[in-house]
């Protein structure tokens, strides 16, 4: 979304927030407080929290853009008063904060404010959950309190039961540095989401929580998190017991995934003597490569898509004509090709030769398909 419709001072703060925050903060919607001003001055932010998003409205005044904004929190957080402290007589007093020192000329002001509020919101949720009358939750919190980066959130509503969600960062390893040449903008992390129902008393054999692994989308090109099989949660187990086994499994699988990059690279290098020099290739993760092929006067591109589990899983092929186009002007492509001779035990050179043998006939079929499609 463009911020051109905001006053310049406000637009500068919004742009700085979106471009400099380590969090993937997004603008959900924008609107004007006064329909006669012609300028936007308020918007909703989606802020990552506990593997989900919290939605806050930020309210500026287009008629006075140098003034500090207001922030409106969600309906479930009516008791969240971030800048208020209780005085000696029980009354609320304002604490010193980024709003009290607001400087409209500093473009980082909004970024500082949102991050400050998010930290206070995390403390608010921890305090809220700590007051829940549930012995199991209190025990879980006490066993992982020393672990860094944990976030927690209690959700409740009229039509849904109370639940406490935990976001637990896993693996004390720098995944970014394990892949040579990768240009990931953010630090790649894997989290375990643990969801406990809120009970009012401790039971001897509570049910297992709901578990889910979550990673940043960029990591899937190296390590598809959805393919990981979680260890079973045994009766009477707590998070402090469950996490070491899970982390050991994940670390071993990530190291295997990194080692498979070189296996895919070796296969791509073995394709070159058979298909010629690639037109383009993925040099970092070695997941894609494209060659130019010819059958008489017919030329086409051969796309190879290599799965992360190569060579256990075979590449997917697709042909693309360089001479035939559909009614929208796009090149005609084949369907995805997987029915060809393959064995993960073959040498890379043999894999390449068997694919070439398959494509000799397949290119003729594809040429016929392209001619019929144009007619």
């Amino acid at each position: 979304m463009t911020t051109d419709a905001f006053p310049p001072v406000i637009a500068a703060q919004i742009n700085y927030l979106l471009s400099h925050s380590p969090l993937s903060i997004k603008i959900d919607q924008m609107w004007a407080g006064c329909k006669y001003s012609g300028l936007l001055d308020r918007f909703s932010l989606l802020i990552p929290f506990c593997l989900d998003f919290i939605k806050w409205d930020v309210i500026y005044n287009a008629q006075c853009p140098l003034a500090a904004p207001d922030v409106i929190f969600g309906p479930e957080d009516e008791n969240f008063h971030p800048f208020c402290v209780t005085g000696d007589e029980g009354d609320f007093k304002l604490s010193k904060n980024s709003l009290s020192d607001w400087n409209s000329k500093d473009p980082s002001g909004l970024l500082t404010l949102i991050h400050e509020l998010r930290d206070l919101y995390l403390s608010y949720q921890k305090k809220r959950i700590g007051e829940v009358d549930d012995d199991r939750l209190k025990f879980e919190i006490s066993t992982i309190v020393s672990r860094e980066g944990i976030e927690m959130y209690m959700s409740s509503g009229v039509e849904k039961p109370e639940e406490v969600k935990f976001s637990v960062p896993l693996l004390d390893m720098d995944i970014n540095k394990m892949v040579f040449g990768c240009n990931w903008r953010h630090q790649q992390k894997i989290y375990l989401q643990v969801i406990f129902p809120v009970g009012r008393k401790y039971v001897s054999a509570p049910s297992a929580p709901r578990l889910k692994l979550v990673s940043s989308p960029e990591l899937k090109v190296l390590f598809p998190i959805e393919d990981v099989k979680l260890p079973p949660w045994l009766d009477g187990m707590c998070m402090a017991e469950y996490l070491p086994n899970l982390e050991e499994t994940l670390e071993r699988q990530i190291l295997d995934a990194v080692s498979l990059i070189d296996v895919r690279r070796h296969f791509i290098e073995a394709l070159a003597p058979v298909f010629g020099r690639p037109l383009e290739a993925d040099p970092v993760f070695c997941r894609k490569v494209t060659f130019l092929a010819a059958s008489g006067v017919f030329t086409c591109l051969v796309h190879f898509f290599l799965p992360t589990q190569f060579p256990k899983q075979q590449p997917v092929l697709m042909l693309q004509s360089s001479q035939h186009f559909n009614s929208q002007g796009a090149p005609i492509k084949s369907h995805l090709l997987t029915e060809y001779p393959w064995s993960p035990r073959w040498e890379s050179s043999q894999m390449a030769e068997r694919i070439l043998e398959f494509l000799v006939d397949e290119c003729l079929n594809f040429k016929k398909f392209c001619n019929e499609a144009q007619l």
Side-chain angles (χ1 to χ4, degrees), residues 324-332:
H324 301 82
F325 303 88
N326 60 23
S327 57
Q328 286 76 39
I332 295 179

Side-chain angles (χ1 to χ4, degrees), residues 313-349:
Q313 297 176 359
Q314 67 190 91
V316 176
L317 312 179
M318 185 178 69
L319 304 180
Q320 174 183 324
S321 176
S322 59
Q323 301 165 308
H324 301 82
F325 303 88
N326 60 23
S327 57
Q328 286 76 39
I332 295 179
K333 300 178 181 179
S334 72
H335 59 277
L336 298 180
L337 307 172
T338 57
E339 300 297 328
Y340 59 87
W342 180 263
S343 171
R345 292 178 292 275
W346 290 343
E347 294 291 334
S348 296
S349 58

Side-chain angles (χ1 to χ4, degrees), residues 10-200:
I10 300 176
Q13 295 174 13
I14 299 173
N15 291 331
Y16 191 94
L17 167 69
L18 298 178
S19 60
H20 288 76
S21 175
L23 304 172
S24 299
I25 297 177
K26 305 174 184 177
I27 291 183
D28 183 45
Q29 61 184 63
M30 305 181 294
W31 68 98
C34 178
K35 63 181 179 180
Y36 301 109
S37 68
L39 292 172
L40 304 181
D41 59 359
R42 49 204 64 192
F43 51 93
S44 295
L45 284 179
L46 295 177
I47 304 165
F49 186 84
C50 202
L51 302 179
D52 204 340
F53 288 92
I54 49 176
K55 184 177 180 179
W56 292 347
D57 294 336
V58 181
I59 311 297
Y60 282 91
N61 186 347
Q63 304 299 322
C64 187
L66 302 184
D70 289 329
V71 180
I72 310 300
F73 308 111
E76 290 187 2
D77 299 318
E78 58 183 12
N79 295 322
F80 177 45
H81 307 290
F83 295 146
C84 294
V85 294
T86 305
D88 296 334
E89 299 180 359
D91 56 329
F92 284 106
K93 298 180 180 179
L94 293 178
S95 63
K96 187 176 179 61
N97 55 72
S98 55
L99 281 180
S100 60
D101 295 329
W102 186 259
N103 179 8
S104 59
K105 296 181 180 179
D106 181 5
S108 66
L110 180 61
L111 171 67
T112 303
L113 172 63
I114 296 300
H115 278 255
E116 181 180 7
L117 288 173
R118 190 184 183 280
D119 290 341
L120 292 171
Y121 187 75
L122 176 59
S123 300
Y124 160 74
Q125 285 291 343
K126 287 182 178 179
K127 181 175 183 295
R128 186 183 177 199
I129 295 168
E131 295 171 350
V132 173
D133 184 18
D134 187 318
D135 292 337
R136 182 190 189 184
L137 281 173
K138 291 180 179 179
F139 177 75
E140 291 285 356
I141 294 173
S142 68
T143 60
I144 60 172
V145 66
S146 61
R147 197 177 180 102
E148 293 185 3
I150 289 182
E151 296 182 352
M152 56 189 76
Y153 175 80
M154 187 168 77
S155 62
S156 59
V158 178
E159 299 181 355
K160 58 182 180 180
E162 286 186 326
E163 294 180 332
V164 171
K165 301 179 181 180
F166 289 89
S167 165
V168 185
L170 304 173
L171 300 176
D172 187 18
M173 57 194 304
D174 191 343
I175 300 178
N176 290 45
K177 293 183 178 180
M178 298 174 66
V179 182
F180 179 76
C182 76
N183 55 354
W184 284 324
R185 178 185 173 189
H186 298 295
Q187 186 68 37
Q188 301 302 304
K189 293 289 292 182
I190 299 176
Y191 300 86
L192 178 67
Q193 183 184 70
V194 188
I195 302 179
F196 290 98
V198 175
R200 294 304 172 187

